[in-house]
Amino acid sequence: MNATSIGSYAFDGCSGLESIEIPASVTSIGDYAFAYCKSLKSIVIPAKVSSISLQMFYDCTSLESVTL
């Protein structure tokens, strides 16, 4: 079974998360899903994701690359 959503605050504060490629099955990402991930540098978001909230990356101070 493939997940279709990433819930709000799902990865909130994950200090070891440096990069992530979201699976193509995901269509929605909750608010603050990656908030406070201070080590997150890059993320790949599939085309099927219908909306992206700026709060999704709240206080991600190392974020350099978002690929859509």
Side-chain angles (χ1 to χ4, degrees):
M1 183 167 130
N2 291 330
T4 60
S5 66
I6 295 174
S8 296
Y9 301 94
F11 295 93
D12 180 24
C14 286
S15 60
L17 187 63
E18 292 184 9
S19 66
I20 188 166
E21 184 171 343
I22 297 174
S25 61
V26 172
T27 58
S28 66
I29 302 172
D31 286 337
Y32 299 95
F34 300 97
Y36 303 103
C37 292
K38 304 272 185 184
S39 298
L40 183 62
K41 294 179 183 176
S42 66
I43 185 167
V44 177
I45 301 171
K48 288 185 179 182
V49 173
S50 59
S51 69
I52 297 171
S53 168
L54 289 178
Q55 295 95 348
M56 184 169 118
F57 301 116
Y58 185 81
D59 205 27
C60 291
T61 55
S62 297
L63 189 61
E64 298 171 354
S65 172
V66 177
T67 305
L68 303 172

